[in-house]
């Protein structure tokens, strides 16, 4: 079974902690926290204080806080997010000319190192950094908003990332983010994704979070 990481920005912005608690009670293993700066992506979401507020909720369920930094110059905020309680800090290769240094900083701050690729960014951009990462995040939408349609080519990209990691003997996680739901989850796991981020598929629609997570798990179990 893959790790399910509900994306908290798709929940009720006035009740992030309560929504996170609901998702973790319903069996999600990680919480995915989307940080957007209004420059790297055309949206502004949350900062270190929200991560700090979610930390006790995550602790109660032994869950990891998976923080996805969609921002320019993320190196300026590594310490702030680490200090706020992030377990994984993921930066975008497109935003980091000194990616190796940022990776070192993230590790020195005590977090797992993640790197993310936008849909149009080729895998070659990972060549120099793969040996140093704990997680590769394949974006399956253009980052900025929840609720966008999954880009079908992402599945093959997930598979190619997994193969490259295997060839290096790396056990880094492959995570996929954007438009993931019951219709796409299984093919992604079969392609090698180990962490599935889901926003609207978990928190959207008329059904409960518990029901939605159950539907996601069923889509994975019934047909595997
Ligand atoms: C997109 C974010 C995602 C997003 C996922 O920019 O990085 O984490 O919130 O939401 P869905 O699953 O609705 O695409
Ligand atoms: Zn994300």
């Amino acid at each position: 079974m893959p790790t399910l990481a509900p994306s908290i920005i798709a929940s009720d912005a006035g009740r992030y902690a309560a929504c996170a608690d609901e998702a973790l009670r319903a069996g999600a293993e990680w919480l995915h926290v989307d940080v957007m700066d209004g420059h790297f992506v055309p949206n502004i979401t949350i900062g270190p204080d929200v991560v700090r507020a979610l930390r006790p909720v995550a602790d109660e369920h032994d869950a990891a806080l998976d923080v996805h930094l969609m921002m320019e110059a993320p190196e300026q905020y590594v310490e702030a997010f680490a200090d706020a309680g992030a377990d994984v800090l993921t930066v975008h290769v497109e935003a980091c000319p000194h990616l190796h240094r940022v990776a070192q900083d993230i590790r020195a701050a005590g977090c797992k190192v993640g790197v993310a690729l936008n849909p149009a960014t080729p895998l070659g951009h990972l060549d120099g950094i793969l040996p140093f990462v704990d997680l590769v995040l394949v974006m399956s939408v253009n980052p900025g908003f929840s609720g966008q349609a999954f880009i079908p080519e992402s599945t093959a990209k997930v598979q190619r990332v997994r193969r490259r990691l295997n060839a290096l003997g790396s056990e880094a996680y492959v995570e996929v983010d954007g438009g993931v739901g019951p219709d796409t989850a299984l093919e992604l796991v079969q392609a090698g994704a180990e962490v599935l981020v889901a926003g609207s598929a978990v928190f959207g629609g008329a059904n409960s979070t518990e029901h939605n997570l159950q539907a996601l798990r069923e889509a994975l179990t019934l047909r595997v």
Side-chain angles (χ1 to χ4, degrees):
M1 256 301 181
T3 295
L4 298 183
S7 166
I8 200 70
I9 62 158
S11 73
D12 178 347
R15 300 174 57 247
Y16 279 155
C19 294
D21 187 63
E22 271 167 41
L24 296 175
R25 264 179 216 289
E29 292 91 356
W30 289 13
L31 278 181
H32 185 80
V33 184
D34 287 306
V35 176
M36 304 188 189
D37 68 349
H39 294 278
F40 181 68
V41 288
N43 194 7
I44 299 177
T45 53
I46 65 189
D49 287 346
V50 174
V51 173
R52 198 180 302 282
L54 292 172
R55 185 68 258 176
V57 183
D59 282 342
E60 201 180 316
H61 300 280
D62 231 355
L65 282 183
D66 175 35
V67 178
H68 178 190
L69 300 178
M70 284 159 280
M71 62 193 304
E72 288 176 4
E75 64 277 4
Q76 295 178 11
Y77 293 92
V78 165
E79 259 192 58
F81 282 104
D83 189 56
D87 293 297
V88 183
L89 270 185
T90 297
V91 296
H92 270 261
V93 301
E94 303 87 358
C96 297
H98 305 291
L99 185 55
H100 186 271
R101 181 183 296 151
V102 184
Q104 284 178 318
D105 290 351
I106 293 172
R107 197 170 300 288
C111 298
K112 292 207 181 305
V113 179
V115 292
L117 283 180
N118 281 337
T121 306
L123 254 52
H125 283 55
L126 293 176
D127 281 352
I129 201 69
L130 277 189
F132 305 99
V133 305
D134 302 301
L135 178 147
V136 177
L137 171 49
V138 176
M139 286 306 304
S140 40
V141 297
N142 290 293
F145 303 93
S146 289
Q148 302 179 79
F150 179 80
I151 298 172
E153 288 74 14
S154 312
T155 308
K157 200 171 185 184
V158 163
Q159 192 168 35
R160 285 185 287 132
V161 171
R162 185 69 264 165
R163 283 194 190 137
R164 280 192 188 212
L165 287 168
N166 290 350
L168 287 174
S170 167
E171 291 180 358
Y173 293 110
V174 180
E175 177 175 48
V176 61
D177 182 7
V180 177
D183 294 344
T184 45
L186 180 64
E187 66 175 60
L188 289 165
V189 170
Q190 286 173 336
E194 291 137 319
V195 185
L196 300 179
V197 177
S200 38
V202 171
F203 295 114
N207 291 317
S208 69
T209 297
E210 190 183 0
H211 177 280
N212 291 340
L213 275 164
Q214 182 62 23
L216 207 43
R217 292 230 180 260
E218 271 169 23
L220 289 163
T221 42
L222 290 179
R223 291 176 286 153
V224 168

